[in-house]
């Protein structure tokens, strides 16, 4: 081999090595770019029901875990909680949910990934996703006909806080509105009694009853709550822990009670029944007094709060109801409530707790009656 041929040979080897290096570099860069383009695994904090509560729930009944969120497929969305709700009904849910399940509950959530034209990224919904920060909602779940599990649009909030979608402009508000106006149907001049009157539902009932021209009596379990009831227009407000219910009603309603919106049940409601007017109406919205009962009642046990003779001789109409009975009028109700808020006819209070890790403590506080208005958690 001549020197000239050897030089050409070495030049070709060097050129090939350079090409091989460039190819390897481009392959590495391409791999890195592809890796960056691949969606990363999304994790969500989730509160699980780990133990069946006995009596008042304990923090030990719940476990905080992290779960991987499934990828977003055609028709699906992934949402992130903006604010979450804790409500008394969840105590009953804790009796029946399978252990290891996500605690049930509603939240206002923002769409962060979407393959569904009806829910673009950045839109908001009220959804029953439970106690979790990030949630995958499949097309099937988004199209469910089960109103309890259905993801709903917020009304046009017109500058009001989105958290009201869990309270006054949500399920509690519509429960108050339709429970009062469709179940009790009060007319101006009648007397309306509200138990649990300072809560998310009760406080709205008090104010709508005043809008309808009724005399309103409210009971709550703390002096500051009684002050709140007077502030929102109750004609008479009592701390049931400091008065005898019967004596208070004889004083406040000598003409008897036409409509009773019941949020508590139990001995309180039993004390109310003798003070119902002839043809009186009772709407049973909740029974918080019994949610923490440990013993199961036997079938046929005589433990009810409605005395037969009171119901019979006063021709009382007693009706339990659930919010989803009014699904076909849901947005109508929310828009009416919103307008009343904007007009200053309905006031609201929220107890906002910062920190997803405080969900169980806040839930227990709700059951203990520690808060005025709606309890909200921001993650």
């Amino acid at each position: 081999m001549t020197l000239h041929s050897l030089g050409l040979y070495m030049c070709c080897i060097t050129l090939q090595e350079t090409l091989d290096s460039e190819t390897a570099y481009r392959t590495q860069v391409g791999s890195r770019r592809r890796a960056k383009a691949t969606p990363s695994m999304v994790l969500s904090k989730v509160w699980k029901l780990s133990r069946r509560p006995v009596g008042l729930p304990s923090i030990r009944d719940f476990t905080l875990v992290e779960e991987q969120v499934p990828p977003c497929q055609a028709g699906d969305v992934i949402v992130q909680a903006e604010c979450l709700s804790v409500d008394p009904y969840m105590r009953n849910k804790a009796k029946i949910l399978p252990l290891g399940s996500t605690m049930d509950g509603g939240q206002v959530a923002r769409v962060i990934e979407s393959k569904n034209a009806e829910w673009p990224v950045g839109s908001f919904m009220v959804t029953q996703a439970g106690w979790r920060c990030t949630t995958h909602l499949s097309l099937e779940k988004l199209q469910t006909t089960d109103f309890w599990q259905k993801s709903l649009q917020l009304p046009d909030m017109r500058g009001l806080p989105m958290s009201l979608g869990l309270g006054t402009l949500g399920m509690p508000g519509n429960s108050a509105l339709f429970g009062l106006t469709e179940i009790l149907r009060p007319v101006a001049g009648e007397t309306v009694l509200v138990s649990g009157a300072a809560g998310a539902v009760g406080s709205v009932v008090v104010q709508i009853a005043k809008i309808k021209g009724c005399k309103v009596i409210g009971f709550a379990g703390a002096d500051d709550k009684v002050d709140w009831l007077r502030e929102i227009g109750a004609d008479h407000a009592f701390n049931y822990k400091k008065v005898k219910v019967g004596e208070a009603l004889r004083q406040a309603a000598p003409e008897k009670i036409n409509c009773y919106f019941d949020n508590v049940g139990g001995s309180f409601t039993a004390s109310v029944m003798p003070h119902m007017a002839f043809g009186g109406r009772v709407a049973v919205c909740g029974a918080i007094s019994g949610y923490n009962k440990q013993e199961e009642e036997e079938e046929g046990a005589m433990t009810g709060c409605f005395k037969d003779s009171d119901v019979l001789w006063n021709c009382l109409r007693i009706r339990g109801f659930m919010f989803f009975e009014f699904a076909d009028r849901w947005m109508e109700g929310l828009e009416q409530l919103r307008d009343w808020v904007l007009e200053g006819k309905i006031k609201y209070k929220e107890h906002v707790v910062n920190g997803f890790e405080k969900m169980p403590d806040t839930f227990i506080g709700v059951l203990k009656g520690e808060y005025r208005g709606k309890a909200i958690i921001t993650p």
Side-chain angles (χ1 to χ4, degrees):
M1 179 181 292
T2 65
L3 288 173
H4 178 69
S5 299
L6 179 61
L8 287 174
Y9 173 72
M10 294 300 293
C11 183
C12 287
I13 290 176
T14 301
L15 179 60
Q16 184 61 49
E17 287 176 344
T18 301
L19 289 172
D20 289 346
S21 296
E22 272 191 42
T23 300
Y25 172 75
R26 286 174 181 167
T27 300
Q28 290 173 3
V29 169
S31 297
R32 284 197 295 269
R33 284 176 179 165
R34 283 192 296 275
K36 288 180 180 178
T38 303
S40 58
M41 181 174 64
V42 178
L43 295 175
S44 176
K45 292 180 180 179
V46 184
W47 277 106
K48 299 283 189 179
L49 179 66
S50 54
R51 192 175 70 172
R52 197 70 67 196
V54 177
L56 184 70
S58 159
I59 185 68
R60 294 185 295 276
D61 298 330
F62 310 95
T63 302
L64 182 61
V65 301
E66 279 195 336
E67 285 185 347
Q68 184 174 348
V69 178
C72 192
Q73 306 292 344
D76 302 350
V77 299
I78 294 176
V79 300
Q80 193 167 57
E82 295 286 312
C83 49
L84 301 100
S85 176
V86 284
D87 300 280
Y89 78 83
M90 296 174 184
R91 179 62 183 87
N92 264 0
K93 284 283 188 174
K95 295 179 181 179
I96 59 176
L97 282 173
L99 295 181
S101 299
T102 302
M103 267 298 289
D104 194 23
Q107 58 178 251
V108 172
R110 176 172 54 89
V111 178
I112 59 173
E113 186 177 350
S114 176
K115 294 186 179 178
N116 187 312
E118 292 185 18
W119 295 101
V121 170
S123 60
F124 293 88
M125 65 170 67
V126 176
T127 183
Q128 200 73 11
W131 293 11
R132 54 185 303 125
C133 290
T134 307
T135 306
H136 169 268
L137 297 173
S138 66
L139 175 61
E140 180 182 10
K141 188 161 188 178
L142 290 170
Q143 292 179 336
T144 182
T145 56
D146 179 353
F147 194 73
W148 183 276
Q149 297 297 329
K150 194 174 181 63
S151 297
L152 303 171
Q153 290 184 335
L154 287 165
D156 179 359
M157 302 300 280
R158 298 186 185 175
L160 294 170
M162 283 188 299
S163 56
L164 288 185
L166 298 174
T168 303
L169 305 188
M171 181 267 286
N174 265 352
S175 296
L177 174 63
F178 292 120
L180 182 69
T181 61
E182 296 299 322
I183 305 299
L184 293 178
R185 296 180 176 270
V187 297
E190 288 192 318
T191 298
V192 175
L193 169 64
V194 186
S195 60
V201 176
S203 59
V204 178
V205 175
V206 168
Q207 295 176 87
I208 298 175
K210 291 305 298 179
I211 291 171
K212 298 297 181 182
C214 298
K215 174 181 173 179
V216 180
I217 304 169
F219 281 81
D223 289 343
D224 64 328
K225 294 182 179 182
V226 170
D227 292 339
W228 166 238
L229 293 179
R230 294 188 179 118
E231 183 181 335
I232 61 178
D235 298 282
H236 299 275
F238 300 98
N239 182 342
Y240 73 87
K241 296 178 181 178
K242 292 187 173 182
V243 300
K244 291 184 177 180
V245 174
E247 290 181 5
L249 291 177
R250 273 189 289 274
Q251 169 197 330
E255 74 286 359
K256 303 286 189 175
I257 297 155
N258 306 105
C259 300
Y260 172 36
F261 196 103
D262 184 11
N263 288 305
V264 301
S267 61
F268 181 92
T269 293
S271 297
V272 169
M273 287 301 99
H275 300 275
M276 294 297 298
F278 185 85
R281 291 91 73 197
V282 180
V284 181
C285 181
I288 192 171
S289 66
Y291 289 165
N292 290 320
K293 279 187 177 179
Q294 299 183 33
E295 68 280 359
E296 291 294 327
E297 294 180 355
E298 294 183 8
E299 186 175 349
M302 301 293 288
T303 57
C305 52
F306 300 107
K307 190 176 177 182
D308 294 349
S309 58
D310 291 330
V311 176
L312 175 61
W313 294 108
N314 285 320
C315 296
L316 302 182
R317 284 174 282 168
I318 302 169
R319 164 85 145 81
F321 73 97
M322 294 295 288
F323 65 90
F324 49 72
E325 295 181 53
F326 307 100
D328 59 338
R329 298 178 59 191
W330 199 252
M331 191 57 69
E332 172 196 338
L334 299 184
E335 290 174 349
Q336 175 63 86
L337 291 162
R338 177 204 60 202
D339 292 346
W340 279 333
V341 171
L342 292 172
E343 292 165 8
K345 294 179 179 178
I346 289 182
K347 299 178 182 179
Y348 63 88
K349 280 190 181 294
E350 294 181 320
H351 180 85
V352 179
V353 176
N354 296 315
F356 182 73
E357 70 280 1
K358 297 177 182 176
M359 290 284 296
D361 284 331
T362 309
F363 173 50
I364 294 166
V366 167
L367 294 175
K368 292 166 70 175
E370 293 180 353
Y371 315 127
R372 286 189 293 171
K374 184 73 188 76
I376 298 289
I377 291 87
T378 56

